[in-house]
Amino acid sequence: MQSKNSYLDLPVLKEKEITLALKREDLLHPLISGNKYRKLKYNLQEAQNLHLRTLITFGGAYSNHIAALSYAGMEKGLATVGIIRGEELMDKWQDNPTLAMAHQNGMVLKFISRAAYRKKTDLDFLLTLEEEYGPFYLVPEGGTNSLAIKGCEEILTQADEDFDMVCTCVGTGGTMAGLINSSRPYQQVMGFAALKGEFLEEEITKMTTEKHWKLISDYHFNGYGKVTGELVHFINKFKRTTGIPLDPVYTGKMLYGLLDMIKNDNFAKGTKILAIHTGGLQGIAGMNLRLKKKKLPLLHI
Ligand SMILES: *Cc1c(COP(=O)(O)O)cnc(C)c1O
């Protein structure tokens, strides 16, 4: 499955003579949007090859991965279990749009403490899961493993060889690793970290042997899932001027950073940039609930 590229028409691009296109992975699927669809594709096939009928994975309360896996499981007729960080959610998950949707898709939600969550991949814990749910296929938190990277290698197409740079957002780095592997050596892959992670550089090095990439860590807005009024304003303005929605956790931060770098002359005139819209739009509703509580401006849907 291939997604289209939308060429942006913004004054700063004209002024700096930069071509910028967004690869609309957000349009791949209404709920398994963007990179989570890519990351799950070969994992679902593997579960089926192994004749495992239950998928188990881990995630936070607003996780795009949890949302995507619940939907994919429903589509394939597989049972799904989501191990969710935070016991306090146990009696109020109905108010959380991501978890309510996952439940509606048939996912069993199991809430564990933050301390237990840190030990979620210990053998002891996995054995208790097997006792409780039977044999299962384990999908890691965020969905990243070698099969996920293989899926993300399919994001770029031959027509994309014309771009000088490929940009993406980075959580675990699995998507970026796939893009690095499938891009051409003369292209540079630039990843925008969505979190404060000095470890990310090393993580990505473990997932690829290629060298034509760079990690940008200046636009995480104080950490994973953190937003500011300025970021919300940027995302709303971007939607108004281009018609394209961005999510506040990943793609909004990438586009903010990329346009800031363009404005500050980080790229030569004539540079052709392709930025991957990795999706994540299901998270907007949950973010708006948090923004409302803090009396901050809301994201326009
Ligand atoms: C999960 C996610 C990412 C991060 O992908 P990684 O492969 O973990 O780096 C980026 N964008 C969106 C919208 C996501 O949901």
Side-chain angles (χ1 to χ4, degrees):
M1 206 183 323
Q2 257 132 44
S3 49
K4 63 165 188 172
N5 294 341
S6 301
Y7 284 82
L8 300 184
D9 180 18
L10 299 169
V12 66
L13 300 175
K14 220 165 259 146
E15 184 200 328
K16 304 291 182 183
E17 296 177 39
I18 302 284
T19 301
L20 175 56
L22 272 189
K23 184 172 281 294
R24 301 296 306 278
E25 294 277 295
D26 57 314
L27 300 177
L28 272 184
H29 189 285
L31 285 164
I32 325 178
S33 83
N35 65 347
K36 299 306 184 283
Y37 172 89
R38 303 284 184 187
K39 292 169 96 168
L40 283 172
K41 178 180 167 190
Y42 291 109
N43 277 292
L44 293 170
Q45 281 181 14
E46 182 69 0
Q48 283 172 321
N49 292 342
L50 296 169
H51 303 291
L52 292 168
R53 309 290 308 158
T54 301
L55 307 171
I56 299 191
T57 197
F58 313 105
Y62 302 95
S63 164
N64 295 327
H65 170 62
I66 289 287
L69 189 103
S70 71
Y71 194 89
M74 181 174 69
E75 253 186 356
K76 301 269 181 210
L78 300 169
T80 54
V81 179
I83 311 295
I84 310 296
R85 182 180 58 232
E87 276 173 320
E88 73 281 1
L89 293 159
M90 202 167 325
D91 40 42
K92 52 178 183 196
W93 60 266
Q94 290 93 336
D95 302 334
N96 174 302
T98 301
L99 298 178
M101 182 176 68
H103 173 80
Q104 207 173 16
N105 293 339
M107 181 178 259
V108 172
L109 301 172
K110 183 183 173 74
F111 298 92
I112 62 174
S113 70
R114 274 145 226 277
Y117 195 84
R118 264 177 249 124
K119 297 187 182 165
K120 63 189 176 297
T121 54
D122 287 5
L123 187 58
D124 283 357
F125 182 67
L126 297 178
L127 287 173
T128 64
L129 291 179
E130 190 159 63
E131 266 168 39
E132 199 169 347
Y133 303 107
F136 62 87
Y137 183 82
L138 185 70
V139 184
E141 181 181 32
T144 291
N145 57 16
S146 58
L147 291 175
I149 295 172
K150 181 177 160 187
C152 291
E153 288 171 5
E154 295 174 359
I155 294 173
L156 294 177
T157 69
Q158 213 160 23
D160 300 325
E161 292 181 1
D162 203 28
F163 289 98
D164 305 303
M165 311 210 50
V166 176
C167 296
T168 191
C169 350
V170 176
T172 62
T175 304
M176 186 174 180
L179 291 167
I180 295 168
N181 290 344
S182 64
S183 55
R184 309 287 298 176
Y186 57 80
Q187 296 179 309
Q188 194 181 41
V189 180
M190 209 158 77
F192 287 81
L195 54 147
K196 286 188 205 167
E198 290 74 37
F199 58 90
L200 272 180
E201 191 108 21
E202 207 183 313
E203 286 298 306
I204 296 161
T205 310
K206 282 186 212 156
M207 291 187 273
T208 181
T209 52
E210 301 287 335
K211 304 271 183 263
H212 57 284
W213 59 274
K214 191 161 98 180
L215 188 69
I216 307 291
S217 306
D218 304 325
Y219 301 101
H220 55 63
F221 288 80
N222 290 322
Y224 187 72
K226 301 268 166 59
V227 298
T228 62
E230 191 187 1
L231 181 65
V232 172
H233 176 74
F234 168 77
I235 291 172
N236 286 339
K237 186 167 166 210
F238 190 87
K239 170 105 189 283
R240 216 164 45 236
T241 49
T242 66
I244 301 173
L246 301 173
D247 85 292
V249 180
Y250 294 103
T251 54
K253 293 181 180 182
M254 168 179 72
L255 259 302
Y256 183 103
L258 183 55
L259 290 172
D260 190 55
M261 289 177 75
I262 291 171
K263 197 168 69 190
N264 292 315
D265 298 310
N266 280 268
F267 306 102
K269 275 188 182 151
T271 303
K272 293 187 187 130
I273 306 173
L274 178 67
I276 314 299
H277 192 320
T278 45
L281 303 174
Q282 72 83 29
I284 291 177
M287 181 60 81
N288 271 343
L289 291 179
R290 281 176 284 165
L291 290 170
K292 202 170 164 186
K293 251 186 218 154
K294 292 186 192 160
K295 300 200 164 45
L296 286 170
L298 303 187
L299 294 155
H300 303 156
I301 298 185

